[in-house]
Structures are given as structure tokens and as C-alpha cells.
Amino acid sequence: MIIQNSNILVIDDDTEIWQAYNSVLVSAGDEPSARGEIAELLGVDDVRESSDLPDFRLSFASQGKDGYEMVRNALKEENPFAVAFIDIRMPPGWDGMKTAAAIRSIDPDIEFVIVTAYSDRTREEIVREVGSPDKLLFLRKPFDPEELTQLALALSSKWNLVQMEKAALIALAESQARFRALVETTSDCVWEMDSQGRITYCSPVSEIIYGYSPEELVGKNYYDFLLCSKDTAKAIRFFEDCVKNLKGFQSVERCCVTKEGERVYVESSATHVVLDGEVVSFRGIDRDISERKRNEATRQLLEEQLRQSQKMEALGVLAGGIAHDLNNVLMPIMGNAQLAQMNIGNNSSVTENLMEIQKSGERAANLIRQILTFSRKQVMQLKVINLNKVIEDFFKMLRRLIRSDIELILDLDKELWSVKADIGQMEQILINLVVNARDALSTDGTIIIRTKNETVPDKSLFDVDHNLISGSFAVVSVIDNGDGMDKETQARIFDPFFTTKEVGMGTGLGLSTVYGVVKQHIGHLRLESSPKRGAHFQIYLRKTEQLPGDAFAGFESLVKGGTETVLVAEDNVAVRKVVGTTLTSFGYKVIEAADGKEAVKILKENANSIDLLLTDLVMPGLGGRAVAGNVSENYPALPVIIMSAYARDDIHEETVGLEKYPFIQKPFTPQELARLIRSVLDGEVVEGGRLP
């Protein structure tokens, strides 16, 4: 038997007995005579050799007080005694019982053996005085060497086992403390569960992540208690597979439900515990990744917005280029058709043909405006309006657009807030949404146009571009109970030229025009739809505190002409010709310039006789901006009107510094041009003014 501490204290006033202890527990000496003396002292025939004994280290004291001090010093030196053999009688000082009681008060771990040659004190008396029967044995003199040896061996081993147990408990407590500190300070939830999925341990972090304390979770089934219902079946199959195949898992994402009913996303990892070839439990952690999931969703949203923005930008550039070319083509067609009607009157047989040309040109111009509206480059005429009035005034037109088997219902909020909007574009929205609803109704059905006031709190509502809607809005809804749309169709429904209709039944620009108008008004568009459950389009336009005025103020039924001289600078021959003819027909004198360079030359030679400059913006060589700059520098009193087949916002760089000049976009009618020129010459158009 291995003994770590073999320190033994002998307290006995008979110093001769010390040699007996030493001979039995350490060495009997080399001389036979010495062994004989020891044997006689012990009352035995002979003393055996002690070379096979453990290495006991004996210390001796003749009085109780001396022994007490030796124990105290040994404790200070951290080399305590394991066993103390104490004689019961040691006159004139402390007896054995008092000595044992004093030593026990400073060293409760030491093992006592009370040694006595008398029987005048009972065991009960000794125990009562020493204080406890624990760690207390008795040995009667003369003692047997084997008995002494066995007591020393057994009690030393017992002392060491007790100390080892204490050390193990301390180490265990320290380990548990470290574990608790680690588990309770980490932001992850540490858990254990059995092979059935029941939670057997859970760290306090569970209350932070899930809202449940460990006491509330222990004994519950993880997969029934915490997981979102839609994920439960899949998670259970996964867990059963781990049990069956003796494996753990790493970084498995799960959707859970907190005590408050909110969703939280966690990433779980676990190792399995195997016993007799079967998984008996799992030990793992749950990490809250809700913030990471939100960041990922935000990143995906931003990426989608970037892609959408890039797509809109590309389409806008394409739309602007197409519009410029088509407007220059339409300008002479529509202008000449109107001029011809003005010249021949209504009695001519060709009037009807001219009107058809004019109508076709207007339809083409309207298509271009839709493209520009989609690309958010159409010039707007913003006015403070009440959408209820626009809808009511336009109701008869909308009624004519739908079949007789469809019911069109108005549900208008009488207290609807005012907004700033372009009336024509609002009418365009209504037309396109009502026509779209009509086409979604294969049989009789209902279309509802509804208005309401709505104040949207922060971070509660998103539009079709996943942008947040926040603030106070007047909302226009168009609702039908038609075929509805699936998610794939909704994702593309606002793309230009996308249509679900048969070939020849639509341009695919209706809803993209709605989208463009709403964005141009800095509004929001929402869509709620599903197959066989109809569609609900909502237009959010921001509330204004201004009051609506006369939406149509400023228009004149009679267009006046004049006799002033107008210099027309235009590189397109057909456009220049029709503009010149138009102005001549209204009584103006016209000087034509084929480009900017020629215009500057004419101005230099005839500045005093020219009353107004009408110049195209984009011309080869010297453009309208340079011509206007020449006028501003040399002829500051000369009025200038800028015209272009581009939308003004589409050529921002070309118009920098020209904001003070009135602008008219092609194609325009003779009446529109004449009205603007007359207004400018009469001083009725302020700087930066638009066509009335």
C-alpha cells in the first residue's frame, strides 16, 4: 500500500516506549541484544525485522503540551501528522484526553490512537472528553507489534484517502465553478438533451435567447417546445438520423419561438455521447443569429434595390434615346397634319384623313410619354389636388373602358387629404389599373376604386421595391376579384413590355407606366395578390397641407398670334420647316437657322430686328446651350425658348445654366407653341416657366 503522508506523532511520558514504537514501525536495530530489550518491553518473544514496512516518519513528545505545539508547527509547515499515538496518563501535565481534545481543535483530520495500560476510564468517558468517536481508536499496553503496525498502516492510509477525497472534491468544485463561469458568461446557450430530445440541462443564457429559464426548459422536448411548427417535422427527422448514425451536427440553422411568441433564429452545434454502441445524449450550444439573419436580409434587399436601380437606369437611357428620335419624327407629322386642317377647314374631303393622321400621331406621342413616364423623365405639372375630384371627374371615362358585366364601385373617403400631383398622370394611373383589372376578370366581376387617409409608422410597411413606407399619405386603391397573380408574375409585373396577355392584346407598358408615375411623384406602390383571389394595387402619395386650387387655371381657349420676328434654330429640316410654317400661320415673321453657328451669325447681323429666339437644345457643332449663352452675353434683353425631343431631365448636363429659360418638349402642337411664344413675348412666363 502506498502512503503519501506517513508522519506519526507519539506522545508518551515513558521515553523507553519511544524505542518500542521506533523498532516496530521503523527499525529494530542491528544488535540482537537491542531486539531482545525491545521484545521484553513489548512483552513478546522477539521483534521481527521491519524492512518491509512503509517509510514511517516518527516524532516523539513526552508531554501533551509539547505534542500540541508539534502539531501546530507541522500544520504551519504544511507537513501535518497523519496519526497520533497518545498515552492516556502523562503526569504532571495534560492527560491523553485533554491533549487529544486540544489537538483536534486545531487539526480535525488527524487520526487518534489512545494508548493505556489501565482500565480506569471507560470508552464513553474518553469519547465525551475528546469530543467525538470519529478518528478515534484505542490500544492497550503492552501492545502487539502486528496490531501496532496494522493500526499505523490503516490509519495512515485512511488519512491519505480522506485528503485525496478532499482534494478531488475541491478540484471538482473548481472545475464546476470554471464550467459555470464559462457557460454563464458566454452569449451562447449551452444544453444537454437525451436521445429522445428531452432537455436535461440548459444554461441561464436560455432566458436571454428564448425567454425561458433553465427550470422551465429542463424536462421539455426541444423539438416540440421551442421550434417553429413549420420546421418541427424536418428537425425531428434530422435528429433521429443523428441518433441512428451515431453522429453530432455542426452549424444547423433553426427557427425557434420565444416565450413571448417571437421568432428567433439560432445556429446549433452538438456532439453525441455514445454508451454501449448507442447514442444516449447530445451536448451542444445554440447561438442567436437573428441579427445576422436580419443583416443578410438587409444585404439581399440592398442588392435587389441596386439591381432594380441599375435596370431602371439602363431602361431610362434607352427610353430617352428612343423618345428623342420618335419625337423628331412625330413633330413634322403631327404639325403638318394640324396645319393642313387649319388651312383647308372642315369642309374638305381630306379632313377626315388628316384627323386620322393626327390621332395616330397622338397615340404614338402618348406611347412615348408612357415610356418616359416609366423611366421617370417625363415633365410633370404638379398641382395641389384632391384625388377624389380627379376620380369623380374621370369616372365616366373609366366606365366606358370596361365591359357592361363588370361593376365599377367608388368608395371614397370624404375627408381625403390633399396631395401634389400631375392630374394627367393620375388619370393615366387610373386608366391603366382599371384596364388591368378589367382584363383580369374573365367573367362578370367587381372593380373597386377606394381612397383613404393612412399614417404609416416607421418600419412597418414596404412597397414593391422593398423600400420602407413611413409618414402620412392619401392612398388610392384599385381592387378586383379576378384571376390574381402568383409570386413569379408579381416579380415581373412592373417590367416594361412584360405582359401576360395574348400577342396583340397589350403593349406591356400599362403597369410599368403606373410604376414610373408613382416613382416620379416620390410615392409608393404596393401589390397584394394571389392566384384566384384577385389583386389589390395601392398608390401612396404623400399628404400636403396646402389646399387645392383650380386644377385647370391658366389654359386659354383662344390662341393669339403676333407680328414679331422669331429666329428658329433647328438642325432637323422637317421639324424646322413645320415650326416655321406654324409660326407664319399665326402671323409671326420667321428667320430659320440650320444650326447654332448659323443662328449666332444671324443674330450678329439682325439683332435689332429679332424679337425672340426659339432654339433646339442638341445640335451638331454649336448647340442650344452655347447659342443661349451668346444671347445672354450679347443680347440680354432677347427672350429665349428652349425646345428638345429629349425630356428636360434627360439632358440635365446640357441644360445646366439654362433653368431661367422656358422649355417646350417635342412633339408639340401648333397651338401649344403659339401659346407659349405669345406668353413669353407678353412677359407672362417667369424664369424657368413651363408650357401652360
Side-chain angles (χ1 to χ4, degrees):
M1 182 179 293
I2 298 175
I3 303 176
Q4 291 87 6
N5 183 359
S6 57
N7 296 332
I8 294 178
L9 174 63
V10 176
I11 306 175
D12 198 309
D13 61 337
D14 185 353
T15 57
E16 292 183 356
I17 203 69
W18 294 359
Q19 185 62 37
Y21 280 101
N22 193 67
S23 298
V24 173
L25 299 179
V26 181
S27 172
D30 296 330
E31 296 297 328
S33 59
R35 289 201 302 272
E37 293 176 359
I38 298 303
E40 183 180 353
L41 181 63
L42 296 173
V44 296
D45 295 334
D46 195 9
V47 178
R48 65 173 176 79
E49 293 290 343
S50 57
S51 58
D52 59 339
L53 290 176
D55 185 20
F56 287 117
R57 293 185 294 277
L58 270 62
S59 299
F60 299 95
S62 59
Q63 290 295 315
K65 280 189 177 183
D66 296 337
Y68 172 82
E69 290 299 326
M70 292 175 69
V71 170
R72 189 208 299 273
N73 291 332
L75 291 172
K76 288 181 180 179
E77 296 171 1
E78 297 184 354
N79 187 28
F81 292 102
V83 184
F85 289 90
I86 306 175
D87 189 28
I88 196 168
R89 292 181 180 274
M90 293 177 292
W94 294 352
D95 62 12
M97 292 179 294
K98 185 174 182 179
T99 301
I103 291 174
R104 176 165 284 178
S105 68
I106 61 173
D107 186 359
D109 293 332
I110 194 169
E111 297 284 345
F112 287 133
V113 179
I114 302 298
V115 183
T116 179
Y118 304 96
S119 58
D120 56 341
R121 305 294 294 268
T122 65
R123 289 174 58 89
E124 289 74 13
E125 290 178 308
I126 295 173
V127 168
R128 186 167 53 250
E129 192 160 343
V130 172
S132 170
D134 187 38
K135 299 180 176 62
L136 178 63
L137 293 178
F138 299 91
L139 180 65
R140 190 173 298 279
K141 294 180 181 179
F143 45 76
D144 182 83
E146 284 297 327
E147 184 180 5
L148 177 62
T149 301
Q150 292 301 319
L151 279 172
L153 285 170
L155 294 178
S156 297
S157 297
K158 178 185 175 186
W159 187 94
N160 281 284
L161 287 173
V162 169
Q163 300 310 309
M164 290 172 61
E165 182 181 5
K166 279 187 174 183
L169 290 174
I170 292 172
L172 177 62
E174 291 175 349
S175 176
Q176 289 175 336
R178 285 194 298 271
F179 174 77
R180 280 195 302 271
L182 178 65
V183 166
E184 293 177 7
T185 56
T186 182
S187 59
D188 298 334
C189 178
V190 181
W191 50 261
E192 292 181 351
M193 68 171 65
D194 62 21
S195 59
Q196 304 302 311
R198 288 185 295 268
I199 299 171
T200 56
Y201 170 79
C202 192
S203 67
V205 182
S206 64
E207 197 155 7
I208 298 174
I209 296 178
Y210 299 114
Y212 293 102
S213 66
E215 293 76 19
E216 292 176 291
L217 290 178
V218 171
K220 301 291 195 308
N221 191 293
Y222 183 95
Y223 297 94
D224 293 338
F225 195 63
L226 289 177
L227 285 185
C228 294
S229 57
K230 67 182 182 68
D231 294 337
T232 301
K234 180 180 177 181
I236 290 176
R237 287 194 300 270
F238 175 81
F239 180 72
E240 290 174 345
D241 179 67
C242 291
V243 173
K244 180 180 177 181
N245 295 291
L246 309 182
K247 64 180 183 180
F249 49 87
Q250 293 290 325
S251 303
V252 176
E253 292 187 8
R254 292 173 175 154
C255 176
C256 297
V257 180
T258 67
K259 187 175 183 179
E260 293 74 25
E262 298 178 354
R263 289 192 175 189
V264 60
Y265 290 90
V266 300
E267 185 178 75
S268 295
S269 298
T271 184
H272 58 297
V273 180
V274 178
L275 182 63
D276 297 331
E278 293 184 356
V279 172
V280 295
S281 65
F282 290 88
R283 294 171 183 161
I285 60 171
D286 284 354
R287 175 167 296 172
D288 187 349
I289 60 170
S290 300
E291 185 64 26
R292 188 179 83 190
K293 297 290 282 186
R294 284 191 290 269
N295 291 339
E296 288 176 357
T298 301
R299 177 179 56 80
Q300 292 173 358
L301 175 60
L302 292 174
E303 288 176 353
E304 179 59 31
Q305 289 177 338
L306 176 60
R307 285 193 293 269
Q308 181 73 6
S309 175
Q310 290 172 336
K311 180 175 68 175
M312 291 295 107
E313 184 64 27
L315 288 170
V317 172
L318 175 63
I322 292 173
H324 173 267
D325 293 342
L326 288 179
N327 282 336
N328 273 332
V329 172
L330 287 173
M331 182 69 213
I333 294 174
M334 296 174 62
N336 281 303
Q338 287 189 324
L339 288 173
Q341 290 181 65
M342 291 168 59
N343 291 330
I344 65 175
N346 295 327
N347 297 324
S348 172
S349 59
V350 297
T351 299
E352 187 175 342
N353 302 99
L354 293 171
M355 291 179 64
E356 285 301 319
I357 294 173
Q358 179 66 25
K359 288 179 182 178
S360 296
E362 289 174 354
R363 283 194 292 269
N366 185 56
L367 180 60
I368 294 171
R369 280 194 294 273
Q370 289 190 44
I371 296 174
L372 289 172
T373 298
F374 167 75
S375 63
R376 289 177 250 172
K377 294 177 179 178
Q378 175 69 359
V379 177
M380 291 194 301
Q381 302 258 344
L382 293 180
K383 299 180 183 293
V384 178
I385 62 172
N386 186 291
L387 291 169
N388 284 349
K389 187 175 189 309
V390 175
I391 294 169
E392 289 169 342
D393 291 345
F394 208 54
F395 183 76
K396 289 183 180 179
M397 171 67 77
L398 296 174
R399 179 66 260 181
R400 287 195 293 268
L401 292 174
I402 61 177
R403 302 188 307 270
S404 59
D405 61 341
I406 298 175
E407 185 178 9
L408 182 60
I409 300 173
L410 296 185
D411 180 15
L412 308 181
D413 186 343
K414 295 180 179 179
E415 304 298 326
L416 189 67
W417 293 325
S418 298
V419 298
K420 277 189 175 182
D422 184 296
I423 293 175
Q425 292 192 4
M426 292 300 102
E427 292 173 344
Q428 192 69 50
I429 285 179
L430 292 170
I431 289 174
N432 289 329
L433 289 181
V434 168
V435 168
N436 183 75
R438 176 200 68 189
D439 295 341
L441 295 165
S442 54
T443 58
D444 59 337
T446 302
I447 301 173
I448 301 173
I449 301 176
R450 176 177 296 152
T451 61
K452 67 175 180 177
N453 298 323
E454 184 172 349
T455 298
V456 184
D458 289 343
K459 299 181 181 180
S460 65
L461 204 63
F462 293 86
D463 63 15
V464 294
D465 289 326
H466 310 290
N467 294 318
L468 276 170
I469 303 174
S470 178
S472 297
F473 301 89
V475 184
V476 180
S477 300
V478 176
I479 308 162
D480 67 73
N481 58 353
D483 296 335
M485 292 169 275
D486 56 25
K487 294 296 182 184
E488 290 74 16
T489 302
Q490 291 182 51
R492 299 188 59 196
I493 199 68
F494 300 107
D495 290 350
F497 308 112
F498 172 80
T499 179
T500 58
K501 301 171 186 176
E502 297 178 6
V503 177
M505 296 300 292
T507 63
L509 287 172
L511 291 179
S512 63
T513 298
V514 172
Y515 177 92
V517 169
V518 173
K519 291 302 175 184
Q520 200 171 9
H521 281 76
I522 321 298
H524 296 277
L525 176 60
R526 298 193 72 236
L527 169 60
E528 298 174 9
S529 183
S530 58
K532 307 301 180 184
R533 302 192 66 177
H536 183 180
F537 291 87
Q538 293 175 282
I539 312 298
Y540 285 75
L541 298 178
R542 197 166 295 277
K543 169 189 177 183
T544 180
E545 299 298 335
Q546 299 179 37
L547 298 176
D550 184 357
F552 301 97
F555 282 87
E556 294 179 359
S557 58
L558 180 62
V559 179
K560 299 177 182 179
T563 59
E564 291 90 344
T565 300
V566 179
L567 172 60
V568 178
E570 169 64 61
D571 62 299
N572 187 296
V573 177
V575 174
R576 186 170 69 247
K577 183 177 179 181
V578 75
V579 169
T581 305
T582 296
L583 295 179
T584 301
S585 67
F586 279 93
Y588 296 104
K589 299 181 181 70
V590 177
I591 301 175
E592 296 183 6
D595 53 33
K597 185 176 180 181
E598 186 179 354
V600 170
K601 181 181 178 182
I602 294 172
L603 279 170
K604 186 175 181 180
E605 297 172 351
N606 303 278
N608 294 331
S609 61
I610 296 174
D611 299 295
L612 182 143
L613 169 65
L614 174 63
T615 178
D616 189 29
L617 185 61
V618 180
M619 295 182 290
L622 206 63
R625 180 179 178 184
V627 176
N630 182 276
V631 170
S632 178
E633 181 178 352
N634 298 302
Y635 320 104
L638 182 66
V640 178
I641 296 176
I642 305 294
M643 61 179 172
S644 180
Y646 288 107
R648 187 167 193 165
D649 294 338
D650 199 23
I651 45 176
H652 176 71
E653 292 183 2
E654 293 291 336
T655 59
V656 172
L658 304 182
E659 294 84 358
K660 63 180 180 179
Y661 299 119
F663 177 85
I664 184 168
Q665 186 179 344
K666 304 171 188 175
F668 44 79
T669 66
Q671 289 85 352
E672 289 172 339
L673 178 59
R675 186 186 308 118
L676 178 59
I677 287 179
R678 187 70 263 156
S679 298
V680 172
L681 290 171
D682 292 343
E684 297 175 0
V685 176
V686 297
E687 292 183 353
R690 303 291 194 190
L691 179 66

